[in-house]
Amino acid sequence: MNVSYKDVWTWGDVQAEWTNKIFSDHPALYNTIQAANSAAGDDMGAFLCWLGVRVLEMHRVLKPTGSLYLHIDHTAHAYVKMMLDAIFGRDNFRNEVVWFKGYRGTPRKRRFQQEHDTVLFYAKTSDYKWNETRGEYRDQSMSRYNKIDENGQRYALIKRRRTDGTVYYGKTYPKGKLQGDVIELPVLAATAKERTGYPTQKPLSLYERIIKASSNPGNIVLDPFAGCATTCVAAERLGRQWIGVDINEQARDVIHDRLQREVSEGMAWREIVRTPTEPPERTDGGDPVAPELRIVGRQRRRPRRLPVREIREQLIISNGQRCQGCGWEPPYPDYLQVDHKKPRSLGGADEMSNYTLLCDPCNRRKSNKLTLVELRRVRVDEGRVDADWWEEAKWQ
């Protein structure tokens, strides 16, 4: 099976409109991407930017009672967690769900064996939907259910007391153990019926537990990275409405085939499942963040913003390759970050006259609470300003 799968990212995969949108409207997310870029390299920063604009759209269309589950591996987990905190708010983080696969793969000689992946669970508001979820009992917990009824189900006779004080023994069927934040499910075997050949395919039972926990029958489940249709099939089996989006055109055939094979062979899935190729028009009047979500010919409401790199180049021509907060002159221009002289939170505008260049410590110290003038005063008091430069800059 041919799939559109990518695991290495560069800034060539990122479009200027994305960085402009994040820089202008989501400063916390912008700072997170800058921190990841500095700590883990360009590929991590580019990946967070690529993923960030898509998560922003997910957050926008999510109902107040909705939740987001994002599966991520250990290489990007910490940075993606920070990204989600910036978009959803730290208080809306609900769980770090561990999928224990019990699969070692290639033996690790100088570190612990990799046996799990992580699913980050966020709610849009505190009014999110939640259903009590139960998993399987361990073998020792099932020992009490040592009787079999006429339908072949196990049960136990449990001593109970009526309101009048009489004692009797009633049938109790296992409900299952309340689901913890560690879900033990083996990886799919090569011969598993649900196998499609997709490199990152997850078990249906994993997604079914998530969907049961955070939705009810008839609710809508959205998977913007539908891939091999695991979410779509799980949602269909549980009676939910669903929408799957994928860049790979073969995804529609995979969805039809899996629904036919794993849900109902007698249904005309190719007629039931609609597969439009044009993106739907937004109902809030806003411009899509990612160009591939833009409706062709749609008129933009705001003038095109300059790319961050171009803004940086113009500011260096005007003021030199120097942090305008403390006067430090870095060896490379990329060490300087574009920020607002007057923060947007204080009414600052998105225009060249309000842009400035700051080093990372000054940008973090300034945050969205100080103007450039106030930042300089703070840095002087802290003894972090170049004295010679200060004589030139203090009157600006």
Side-chain angles (χ1 to χ4, degrees), residues 72-112:
I72 196 70
D73 68 14
H74 65 287
T75 58
H77 167 269
Y79 303 105
V80 171
K81 171 71 168 61
M82 291 176 61
M83 180 197 76
L84 292 174
D85 282 347
I87 295 174
F88 279 78
R90 187 176 62 178
D91 291 343
N92 286 319
F93 170 66
R94 292 293 170 258
N95 272 111
E96 179 179 278
V97 180
V98 172
W99 171 31
F100 176 70
K101 300 179 289 186
Y103 172 71
R104 291 177 174 79
T106 303
R108 310 295 185 184
K109 295 183 178 179
R110 297 178 62 84
R111 54 182 169 136
F112 297 109

Side-chain angles (χ1 to χ4, degrees), residues 59-253:
H59 182 270
R60 180 183 66 82
V61 301
L62 197 62
K63 287 185 176 181
T65 55
S67 300
L68 175 137
Y69 290 83
L70 195 153
H71 178 276
I72 196 70
D73 68 14
H74 65 287
T75 58
H77 167 269
Y79 303 105
V80 171
K81 171 71 168 61
M82 291 176 61
M83 180 197 76
L84 292 174
D85 282 347
I87 295 174
F88 279 78
R90 187 176 62 178
D91 291 343
N92 286 319
F93 170 66
R94 292 293 170 258
N95 272 111
E96 179 179 278
V97 180
V98 172
W99 171 31
F100 176 70
K101 300 179 289 186
Y103 172 71
R104 291 177 174 79
T106 303
R108 310 295 185 184
K109 295 183 178 179
R110 297 178 62 84
R111 54 182 169 136
F112 297 109
Q113 303 302 304
Q114 184 65 35
E115 296 184 336
H116 81 277
D117 278 355
T118 302
V119 179
L120 297 173
F121 168 27
Y122 280 76
K124 188 168 185 178
T125 69
S126 59
D127 190 30
Y128 65 101
K129 192 182 300 296
W130 178 254
N131 299 317
E132 182 180 279
T133 304
R134 293 179 177 269
E136 296 81 6
Y137 282 123
R138 296 183 182 275
D139 291 341
Q140 58 267 32
S141 300
M142 285 293 293
S143 59
R144 65 186 300 190
Y145 299 98
N146 54 5
K147 301 186 182 302
I148 306 294
D149 67 9
E150 61 277 8
N151 297 317
Q153 294 182 318
R154 299 181 66 170
Y155 70 93
L157 287 176
I158 304 297
K159 186 176 181 181
R160 297 172 181 169
R161 188 180 299 275
R162 294 189 177 92
T163 54
D164 62 2
T166 60
V167 175
Y168 73 103
Y169 287 85
K171 288 183 180 180
T172 299
Y173 291 87
K175 292 182 178 180
K177 174 181 174 291
L178 280 172
Q179 181 63 64
D181 59 5
V182 177
I183 299 178
E184 297 186 38
L185 288 171
V187 293
L188 292 175
T191 57
K193 180 182 177 181
E194 58 189 270
R195 263 289 181 193
T196 65
Y198 201 83
T200 59
Q201 184 174 353
K202 311 301 184 300
L204 265 172
S205 53
L206 175 64
Y207 284 15
E208 285 178 339
R209 295 190 195 197
I210 289 171
I211 292 172
K212 284 180 182 177
S214 292
S215 69
N216 293 331
N219 290 161
I220 297 176
V221 176
L222 167 65
D223 186 349
F225 307 101
C228 58
T230 301
T231 302
C232 307
V233 174
E236 183 67 36
R237 284 167 46 152
L238 294 172
R240 273 65 168 174
Q241 301 181 75
W242 53 268
I243 301 171
V245 182
D246 202 87
I247 194 174
N248 179 24
E249 292 185 2
Q250 294 184 13
R252 72 182 70 183
D253 295 326

Side-chain angles (χ1 to χ4, degrees), residues 271-318:
E271 299 176 9
I272 296 172
V273 178
R274 293 177 295 165
T275 54
T277 56
E278 293 297 319
E281 187 169 355
R282 281 176 56 154
T283 58
D284 64 352
D287 291 327
V289 176
E292 58 265 43
L293 301 181
R294 182 171 295 115
I295 298 169
V296 178
R298 183 180 179 90
Q299 184 177 359
R300 293 179 60 84
R301 294 179 178 270
R302 292 174 291 185
R304 176 181 176 273
R305 299 186 184 94
L306 293 174
V308 173
R309 187 171 296 277
E310 189 171 332
I311 295 175
R312 183 190 291 116
E313 291 173 354
Q314 291 191 22
L315 291 174
I316 289 176
I317 293 173
S318 302

